[in-house]
Amino acid sequence: MSRDGRGRGGGLLVAGTTSDAGKSVVTAGICRWLVRRGVKVAPFKGQNMSLNSFVTREGAEIGRAQAMQAQAARVEPTALMNPVLLKPGGDRSSQVVLMGRPVGELSAKGFFGSAERLAPGDAASGSALRGGRREALLGPVLECLEELRATHDAVICEGAGSPAEINLRRTDIVNMGIARAARLPVVVVGDIDRGGVFASFFGTTALLSPQDQELIAGYLVNKFRGDVSLLEPGLEMLRGLTGRATLGVLPWRHGLGIDEEDGLRISLRGAVRESLVARPYGEEMLRIAVCAVPLMSNFTDVDALAAEPGVVVRFVDRPEELADADLVVVPGTRGTVKALAWLRERGLADALARRAAEGRPVLGICGGYQILGEHIEDEVESRAGAVAGLGLLPVRVRFAREKTLARPSGTALGEAVDGYEIHHGVAEVRGGDAFVSDADGRPLDGCRVGAVQGTHWHGALESDAFRRRFLTEVAQAAGRRFVPAPDTSFGALREEQLDLLGDLIEEHADTDALLRLIEDGAPAGLPFIPPGAP
């Protein structure tokens, strides 16, 4: 793949008609397709809003979607790939993470207002929040993009929401703002399964300014079910109306919602995480209930459980839904005290206490682990002060202003385990056994008392041997004749998913046209579609 006169690689922005149109998985698919062609490619998203995050090897926090895309590209994820991460703490405020480090909380109004320009490099120190404005981050975000383009043959950028959010265009640093500044061609993805995809493509284009429309180079239809020939007349009419081709029709594939950024694409009432449940290796199924707490973070922790043959994972919000569960998981949350109150209000706290008294398995992860403890002192996240926990583990938690960001390794249940930590809460363990220990048996993290256990480590269940031992314990405690399959590899399954995404691009997209866009940019002379931006 050729480089431009400045020695930088090519680029492409994958935008969407809406949130959840498929931008994340299309970006990952393009990255996997390119790397299989021998192209050195990197993903990029200037600004992400997500409660699903990951810790890079240098200790930076980025969106899990970008970490997944880096895996698709077969490169190590870094903070350059997601310089701005917003972690919602409620309807109107978010923690702002710049270059992998939290720098403060801002209201939506404070973040999206008019800007004070910053000198290069200010973002890393946190001074990019001076005046609390997003537009000031455009320079630092572009610097990250340029650094990636200087070291890669191509950078595939993911947009956010829709580029036609005209109320936010003036301060945009993730859609057309970055496309204009970096002269990136844009492909717009639309979810046809929702309906209205032609209107969405046309309307998205027609609501952009002439300068922005110059970069809208084509469309990608996502999640199509049926005979493509029935769609082709509409695609031809769309081309006639906009002067832009549809560069592919990607068919519906079940279970491709890996590492979403914006939330659960499920109905919580008894719904199953988007996965197919294979027949059990043993005689019985294993049922896992995940409490759908407010501001749930890193719900992807349970994906490794759902990948096991015979394991059914459901997200629940009523106490009676715990009755037939063999394991209940209290997941991470960006609002530990709020989630604790929610569990009490709904009667789930009492149900968890009954489970513990009966010796039935409960697992808390990160914020869920803190909830299971005796006492929480929070002057940072909720500023609620002293709050009584559920008292199921002999643990006291104090929230520190400095966030713990780490990639630890250890041993649990006699097996090697890796994880990552993202939390303000500091746990003081006053009894029980450690959840994870070092090679010499010294406690590293977490607590186990009977069938109740908790850990701050995300991703621990992705360690295959540990997961099998853990599920064996759960099955024994539940009296189930469930046996974990001896050969399930979560890493291999993830690679299969990423290869499937690459196959979708290779087999169903106009890859020659995509390569031309990445190398040469948007073609000249694309027509303007009125009325344009107001």
Side-chain angles (χ1 to χ4, degrees):
M1 181 165 283
S2 62
R3 290 173 172 265
D4 65 13
R6 296 165 58 182
R8 65 182 180 182
L12 177 73
L13 177 70
V14 179
T17 56
T18 62
S19 294
D20 198 30
K23 297 182 293 292
S24 295
V25 293
V26 167
T27 299
I30 293 174
C31 285
R32 177 52 59 102
W33 159 65
L34 285 172
V35 76
R36 292 195 306 208
R37 291 176 54 96
V39 177
K40 186 179 181 182
V41 59
F44 178 81
K45 185 162 186 171
Q47 175 206 301
N48 201 344
M49 177 173 281
S50 178
L51 287 172
N52 284 337
S53 59
F54 182 76
V55 179
T56 68
R57 294 207 177 276
E58 70 266 29
E61 185 179 6
I62 65 172
R64 269 198 71 101
Q66 279 61 66
M68 176 268 292
Q69 291 161 359
Q71 185 178 349
R74 296 181 181 146
V75 294
E76 189 67 32
T78 72
L80 291 172
M81 298 173 184
N82 180 205
V84 182
L85 172 64
L86 304 180
K87 304 193 72 175
D91 292 338
R92 299 188 179 185
S93 68
S94 294
Q95 183 181 64
V96 183
V97 179
L98 298 178
M99 292 304 295
R101 297 291 173 182
V103 295
E105 297 272 344
L106 272 182
S107 67
K109 184 176 181 180
F111 187 68
F112 289 99
S114 59
E116 172 187 353
R117 287 291 179 184
L118 300 181
D122 277 352
S125 68
S127 58
L129 288 179
R130 194 167 61 231
R133 300 296 186 253
R134 179 170 77 155
E135 187 184 358
L137 296 172
L138 179 60
V141 164
L142 287 170
E143 288 176 3
C144 293
L145 174 58
E146 289 303 305
E147 189 169 340
L148 286 174
R149 293 182 74 179
T151 53
H152 294 79
D153 299 325
V155 177
I156 308 303
C157 306
E158 179 188 345
S162 163
E165 290 168 350
I166 54 180
N167 56 314
L168 302 177
R169 175 61 185 92
R170 181 174 52 82
T171 60
D172 174 41
I173 63 170
V174 66
N175 289 309
M176 300 313 299
I178 196 168
R180 282 265 295 275
R183 302 307 300 169
L184 295 174
V186 180
V187 173
V188 181
V189 178
D191 178 358
I192 197 170
D193 197 53
R194 295 182 176 193
V197 74
F198 294 117
S200 297
F201 283 144
F202 183 87
T204 296
T205 308
L207 277 177
L208 299 177
S209 69
Q211 295 83 0
D212 286 350
Q213 287 193 28
E214 289 174 1
L215 298 173
I216 301 296
Y219 309 113
L220 267 175
V221 175
N222 192 29
K223 303 181 191 174
F224 180 70
R225 310 175 194 239
D227 185 346
V228 175
S229 65
L230 299 177
L231 194 65
E232 287 172 351
L235 301 180
E236 283 303 311
M237 284 187 277
L238 180 68
R239 182 167 191 161
L241 289 166
T242 67
R244 293 157 175 87
T246 297
L247 304 181
V249 178
L250 308 183
W252 171 272
R253 289 289 185 270
H254 187 87
L256 290 183
I258 50 177
D259 291 3
E260 301 101 330
E261 65 176 38
D262 291 328
L264 288 170
R265 292 194 293 116
I266 61 174
S267 169
L268 290 178
R269 183 72 65 203
V272 180
R273 181 84 169 103
E274 189 177 306
S275 62
L276 294 171
V277 180
R279 293 177 62 88
Y281 184 79
E283 296 180 47
E284 290 188 306
M285 308 283 284
L286 205 63
R287 295 166 178 80
I288 298 175
V290 183
C291 296
V293 297
L295 299 173
M296 192 187 327
S297 61
N298 285 57
F299 58 80
T300 47
D301 282 329
V302 300
D303 282 358
L305 297 175
E308 286 285 347
V311 174
V312 178
V313 177
R314 285 185 168 85
F315 290 82
V316 302
D317 59 0
R318 298 185 302 196
E320 55 267 30
E321 293 174 301
L322 305 190
D324 68 343
D326 303 308
L327 168 69
V328 175
V329 177
V330 186
T333 171
R334 251 279 284 160
T336 301
V337 171
K338 183 176 183 179
L340 176 57
W342 181 88
L343 290 168
R344 286 183 167 131
E345 290 165 2
R346 289 184 169 256
L348 287 160
D350 290 338
L352 289 168
R354 287 193 296 271
R355 286 187 67 89
E358 296 165 0
R360 303 176 67 195
V362 176
L363 172 65
I365 301 175
C366 199
Y369 167 42
Q370 297 165 8
I371 285 170
L372 298 181
E374 299 171 341
H375 181 84
I376 297 171
E377 191 73 33
D378 181 11
E379 299 292 351
V380 176
E381 190 176 78
S382 68
R383 298 180 177 87
V387 178
L390 297 186
L392 305 185
L393 289 174
V395 175
R396 297 177 70 87
V397 175
R398 176 186 55 81
F399 274 66
R401 298 202 174 276
E402 189 72 20
K403 182 184 280 191
T404 297
L405 296 170
R407 287 276 294 273
S409 298
T411 301
L413 300 180
E415 304 290 351
V417 61
D418 298 314
Y420 57 99
E421 294 184 70
I422 308 169
H423 55 92
H424 285 279
V426 178
E428 178 190 355
V429 180
R430 297 185 168 193
D433 299 317
F435 186 88
V436 188
S437 302
D438 66 13
D440 297 320
R442 292 182 294 249
L444 283 180
D445 180 77
C447 182
R448 295 167 54 96
V449 175
V452 181
Q453 47 203 307
T455 177
H456 275 128
W457 289 21
H458 296 288
L461 293 165
E462 296 179 17
S463 298
D464 296 325
F466 163 71
R467 184 180 63 256
R468 285 192 279 271
R469 287 286 297 273
F470 174 75
L471 289 177
T472 299
E473 275 200 356
V474 168
Q476 290 171 350
R480 294 283 186 191
R481 295 188 302 276
F482 169 86
V483 179
D487 56 353
T488 301
S489 167
F490 184 74
L493 290 171
R494 174 52 54 90
E495 280 295 306
E496 288 177 12
Q497 284 185 306
L498 295 173
D499 276 331
L500 180 55
L501 294 179
D503 293 343
L504 285 174
I505 297 300
E506 188 169 348
E507 297 169 10
H508 300 281
D510 186 343
T511 52
D512 289 339
L514 288 176
L515 282 174
R516 286 194 297 272
L517 291 176
I518 292 168
E519 289 194 338
D520 303 329
L526 291 169
F528 170 69
I529 309 301

